[in-house]
Amino acid sequence: MKPRVVAIVQARMGSTRLPNKVMRTMGSKPMIELLLSRLARAQEIDQVVLATSTHPANEPLVDCVQRLGYPVVRGSEDDVLERFVLAAKEQAADVVIRVTGDCPLVDPGLVDLAVQHFFASAVDYLSNTTTPTYPDGLDIEVFTFRSLKQASDETQKPFDREHVTPYLRTSGRFLVGSMRHDEDLSQLRWTVDEPADFEVVEQVFRYFAPRLDFTWHEVLDLQRQHPEWFSPNQHLIRNEGATMSTGQKLWKRAKQVIPGGNMLLSKRAEMFLPEQWPAYFSKAKGCTVWDMDGRAYTDMSIMGIGTNILGYGHPEVDAAVQQTVAAGNMSTFNCPEEVYLAEKLVELHPWADMARLARSGGEANAVAIRIARAASGKDKVAVCGYHGWHDWYLSANLGDDENLAGHLLPGLEPNGVPQNLRGTVFPFNYNNYAELVALLDAHDIGVIKMEVVRNQGPEDNFLQKVRQLATDRGIVLIFDECTSGFRQTLGGVHKLYGVEPDMAMFGKALGNGYAITAIIGRREVMEAAQSTFISSTFWTERIGPSAALKTLEVMERMQSWETITHTGLKIREGWQSLADKHSLEIEHWGLPALTGFTFRSNQALAYKTLITQEMLSKGYLAGNSVYVCTDHTPDILQGFFDALDPVFGLIKACENGRDVISLLKGPVCHGGFKRLN
């Protein structure tokens, strides 16, 4: 009796790189219909069945395929191996042909040839992809149901279960065969994973329409006659999806629709580990982050860019937010929490009398500048820059898009000020008091805006001198504490130095991951806000102030600033201990609670990339800086440094002549800027 051969097509609507691709129309028909119509022409197949998931998003796909007369089996979203076992059982399959929904150019004649070759070879598994020689998009796998069931019983690895056949191919438990073409055409790409792929394949169907019985040889002839029709996707890598994580796929997709890929330079994948960084999270708790594939990582990196001093998802802060959501976040009335928060911030900073709230650091900076200009009656602003770097929000974000390599940006003058702000913004370097005095002598400055500390602290009473200079000349002094606030004191780090500004801004850690920033200041300065229009609907939402009030309460009870400062110093000691052990020279920088280091080497950026690459494989998000949180316990630090030790050993080997680039699995990360954002 002839074995029953069932072709199982795996497809779903939730493709990461090209959503809903199987239902996108080519001409007048959905891509899945074209695929099934071509596959059903194979003479060796007894039944074609669709295997999809139970996710509600797949309903349109299921309806379409069932209307076409093909059976549908639904199973797990992620465990595709289980889906195949269910489908094969339901169809009483003896032999299974696996075809994926991204291969609409599947060739029925080639499928028949593969089945015949499978039976003639007497193997458990056969494919034409083990050693690729056919164009990508003509992928065919044939295997026995017995082998499929055995694989499902024996492997629980997520990769095996997601991709169905790796265990069949690599476990050594099965007889494996291969079908090859006499000419290597594996560089040709006829699959549909990305928009460029869809463009190419759609052109093929358009050319042959209304025929659907064209062979893969005819497509090959077409490509040789019109190579330009096939050029849009030739830069893409074969089977890239099998090695890319879900986050990497989504990052690639994001860059097609979001300038730069995301909303924050400091979170771009290229800043960490180009082509390998998971990029997106599904969950975060304490100092652990889970990617979209469920892999857990200990965050010894930038902890949400410094937003979570109390760790991700602090239970008390989250409970306060949940209570707010239940009670209502917006109303025609104002939320009382904004009054309570303003009072608390003023209480923590006795020099201040009033506060304004916003939701992001960029907003807080812009609001502070507008108020200060209104109060001083002058437009010109002196902004403290470090080694030529000027304030991010006031200057760079108003110019052209930044260059990730850290070079001069289009539209910038050599001093780093955008052309559209020339004559208004005047940068000066931290700890260079004489430069600031010369600036004020030459220009009618109304505002000085600066961070209290940069990567190194003040020297020669720099802050006190700036304060006195601003007082003597009637200039409004603003301290930017968006990053430094609440890390060494309960409030601004300026309290450590005994210097009181006229205004200060706080952000990042104020709401422990919820959007809230604040501007505080002296009454005579802050009341100038009434003379200029400063207003925004979502500055009145309730979640931010509620989160901030609870965050401040927990911080005060825990004395979190002391904990994270102590932990940061321990991290610094750990880095230095490893550097000494491996005879490496490093330079430390930053506040203890947002500490960082740099190798004294012309390969420093490559070494940073190597650390991120190697530590990621060990379950850590790591580079050369850490924003410390209260959940960075001694046990976590011990595990981190145990894992980091051999990486420093690798770096020492590179300093002794080993090629660091050969150790990297992708490009070197972008440098960005030494400043901790």
Coordinates of all heavy atoms in Angstrom, one line a residue, residues 236-270:
L236 N 19.7 40.7 0.9 CA 19.2 40.0 2.1 C 19.9 38.6 2.2 O 20.3 38.0 1.2 CB 17.7 39.8 2.0 CG 16.9 41.1 2.0 CD1 15.4 40.9 1.8 CD2 17.2 41.9 3.3
I237 N 20.0 38.1 3.4 CA 20.7 36.9 3.7 C 19.8 35.7 3.7 O 18.8 35.7 4.4 CB 21.5 37.0 5.0 CG1 22.5 38.2 4.9 CG2 22.3 35.8 5.4 CD1 23.1 38.6 6.3
R238 N 20.3 34.6 3.1 CA 19.5 33.4 3.1 C 19.3 32.8 4.5 O 20.2 32.7 5.3 CB 20.1 32.3 2.2 CG 19.3 31.0 2.1 CD 19.9 30.0 1.1 NE 19.0 28.9 1.0 CZ 18.6 28.4 -0.2 NH1 19.0 29.0 -1.3 NH2 17.8 27.4 -0.2
N239 N 18.0 32.4 4.8 CA 17.7 31.8 6.1 C 18.1 32.6 7.3 O 18.3 32.1 8.4 CB 18.3 30.4 6.2 CG 17.7 29.4 5.2 OD1 16.5 29.5 4.9 ND2 18.5 28.4 4.8
E240 N 18.1 33.9 7.1 CA 18.5 34.8 8.2 C 17.5 34.7 9.3 O 17.9 34.8 10.5 CB 18.5 36.3 7.6 CG 19.0 37.3 8.6 CD 19.0 38.7 8.1 OE1 18.1 39.0 7.3 OE2 20.0 39.4 8.3
G241 N 16.2 34.5 9.0 CA 15.2 34.4 10.0 C 15.4 33.2 11.0 O 15.0 33.3 12.1
A242 N 16.1 32.2 10.5 CA 16.3 31.0 11.4 C 17.3 31.3 12.5 O 17.3 30.6 13.5 CB 16.7 29.8 10.6
T243 N 18.2 32.3 12.3 CA 19.2 32.6 13.2 C 18.9 33.9 14.0 O 19.5 34.1 15.0 CB 20.6 32.7 12.6 OG1 20.5 33.7 11.5 CG2 21.0 31.4 11.9
M244 N 18.0 34.7 13.5 CA 17.7 36.0 14.1 C 16.7 35.7 15.2 O 15.7 35.0 15.1 CB 17.2 37.0 13.1 CG 18.2 37.4 12.1 SD 17.4 38.5 10.9 CE 17.0 40.0 11.8
S245 N 16.8 36.5 16.3 CA 15.8 36.4 17.4 C 14.6 37.2 16.9 O 14.7 38.0 16.0 CB 16.4 37.0 18.7 OG 16.6 38.4 18.5
T246 N 13.5 37.1 17.6 CA 12.3 37.8 17.3 C 12.6 39.3 17.4 O 12.1 40.1 16.6 CB 11.2 37.4 18.3 OG1 10.9 36.0 18.1 CG2 9.9 38.2 17.9
G247 N 13.3 39.7 18.4 CA 13.7 41.1 18.6 C 14.5 41.7 17.5 O 14.3 42.8 17.0
Q248 N 15.5 40.9 17.0 CA 16.3 41.3 15.9 C 15.4 41.5 14.6 O 15.6 42.5 13.9 CB 17.4 40.3 15.6 CG 18.5 40.3 16.7 CD 19.4 39.1 16.4 OE1 19.1 38.0 16.7 NE2 20.6 39.4 16.0
K249 N 14.5 40.6 14.4 CA 13.6 40.7 13.2 C 12.8 42.0 13.3 O 12.6 42.7 12.4 CB 12.7 39.5 13.1 CG 13.5 38.2 12.8 CD 12.5 37.0 12.9 CE 13.2 35.7 12.7 NZ 12.3 34.5 12.8
L250 N 12.3 42.2 14.5 CA 11.4 43.4 14.7 C 12.2 44.7 14.6 O 11.7 45.7 14.0 CB 10.7 43.3 16.1 CG 9.6 44.4 16.3 CD1 8.5 44.3 15.3 CD2 9.1 44.3 17.7
W251 N 13.5 44.7 15.0 CA 14.3 45.9 14.9 C 14.5 46.2 13.4 O 14.5 47.3 13.0 CB 15.6 45.6 15.6 CG 16.6 46.8 15.4 CD1 17.8 46.8 14.8 CD2 16.5 48.1 16.0 NE1 18.4 48.0 14.8 CE2 17.6 48.9 15.6 CE3 15.5 48.7 16.8 CZ2 17.8 50.2 15.9 CZ3 15.7 50.1 17.1 CH2 16.8 50.8 16.7
K252 N 14.8 45.1 12.6 CA 15.0 45.3 11.2 C 13.7 45.9 10.5 O 13.8 46.8 9.7 CB 15.3 44.0 10.5 CG 15.9 44.0 9.1 CD 16.4 42.7 8.7 CE 17.1 42.8 7.4 NZ 17.7 41.5 6.9
R253 N 12.5 45.4 11.0 CA 11.3 45.9 10.5 C 11.0 47.4 11.0 O 10.6 48.2 10.2 CB 10.2 45.0 11.0 CG 8.8 45.5 10.8 CD 7.8 44.3 11.2 NE 6.6 44.8 11.8 CZ 5.8 44.0 12.5 NH1 6.2 42.8 12.8 NH2 4.7 44.5 13.0
A254 N 11.4 47.7 12.2 CA 11.2 49.0 12.7 C 11.9 50.1 11.9 O 11.4 51.2 11.7 CB 11.7 49.1 14.2
K255 N 13.1 49.8 11.5 CA 13.9 50.8 10.7 C 13.3 51.1 9.4 O 13.7 52.1 8.8 CB 15.3 50.3 10.6 CG 16.1 50.3 11.9 CD 17.6 50.2 11.8 CE 18.0 48.8 11.4 NZ 19.5 48.6 11.4
Q256 N 12.3 50.3 9.0 CA 11.6 50.7 7.7 C 10.5 51.7 7.9 O 10.1 52.4 7.0 CB 10.9 49.4 7.1 CG 11.9 48.3 6.8 CD 12.9 48.7 5.8 OE1 12.6 49.3 4.7 NE2 14.2 48.3 6.0
V257 N 10.0 51.8 9.2 CA 8.9 52.7 9.4 C 9.2 53.8 10.5 O 8.4 54.7 10.7 CB 7.6 51.9 9.9 CG1 7.2 51.1 8.7 CG2 7.9 51.0 11.1
I258 N 10.3 53.7 11.2 CA 10.6 54.7 12.3 C 12.0 55.2 11.9 O 13.0 54.4 11.8 CB 10.7 54.0 13.7 CG1 9.3 53.4 14.0 CG2 11.1 55.0 14.7 CD1 9.3 52.6 15.3
P259 N 12.2 56.5 11.8 CA 13.5 57.1 11.5 C 14.5 56.7 12.6 O 14.2 56.9 13.8 CB 13.3 58.6 11.6 CG 11.8 58.7 11.2 CD 11.1 57.6 11.8
G260 N 15.6 56.0 12.2 CA 16.5 55.5 13.2 C 16.2 54.2 13.9 O 17.0 53.6 14.6
G261 N 14.9 53.8 13.7 CA 14.5 52.5 14.3 C 13.7 52.6 15.6 O 12.9 51.8 15.9
N262 N 13.9 53.7 16.4 CA 13.2 53.8 17.6 C 13.1 55.3 18.1 O 13.5 56.2 17.3 CB 13.8 53.0 18.7 CG 15.2 53.5 19.2 OD1 15.8 54.3 18.5 ND2 15.7 52.9 20.2
M263 N 12.7 55.5 19.3 CA 12.5 56.9 19.7 C 13.6 57.5 20.5 O 13.6 58.6 20.9 CB 11.2 56.9 20.6 CG 10.0 56.3 20.0 SD 9.6 57.0 18.3 CE 8.7 55.6 17.6
L264 N 14.7 56.7 20.8 CA 15.8 57.1 21.6 C 17.1 56.6 21.1 O 17.3 55.4 21.0 CB 15.5 56.7 23.1 CG 16.6 57.1 24.1 CD1 16.6 58.6 24.3 CD2 16.3 56.4 25.4
L265 N 18.0 57.5 20.8 CA 19.3 57.1 20.3 C 20.0 56.1 21.2 O 20.6 55.1 20.8 CB 20.2 58.3 20.1 CG 21.7 58.1 19.9 CD1 22.0 57.4 18.6 CD2 22.5 59.4 20.0
S266 N 19.9 56.3 22.5 CA 20.6 55.5 23.5 C 20.1 54.1 23.5 O 20.8 53.2 24.2 CB 20.6 56.1 24.9 OG 21.1 57.4 24.9
K267 N 19.0 53.8 22.9 CA 18.4 52.4 23.0 C 18.6 51.7 21.6 O 18.1 50.6 21.4 CB 17.0 52.4 23.4 CG 16.7 52.6 24.9 CD 15.3 52.3 25.2 CE 15.1 52.4 26.7 NZ 13.7 52.0 27.1
R268 N 19.2 52.4 20.6 CA 19.3 51.7 19.3 C 20.3 50.5 19.4 O 21.3 50.6 20.1 CB 19.9 52.7 18.3 CG 18.9 53.8 18.0 CD 19.3 54.8 16.9 NE 18.4 55.9 16.8 CZ 18.6 57.0 16.0 NH1 19.8 57.1 15.4 NH2 17.7 57.9 16.0
A269 N 19.9 49.5 18.7 CA 20.7 48.2 18.8 C 22.1 48.4 18.4 O 23.0 47.8 19.0 CB 20.0 47.2 17.9
E270 N 22.4 49.3 17.5 CA 23.7 49.6 17.0 C 24.6 50.2 18.1 O 25.8 50.2 18.0 CB 23.7 50.5 15.8 CG 23.1 49.8 14.5 CD 21.6 49.8 14.5 OE1 21.0 50.5 15.4 OE2 21.0 49.1 13.6

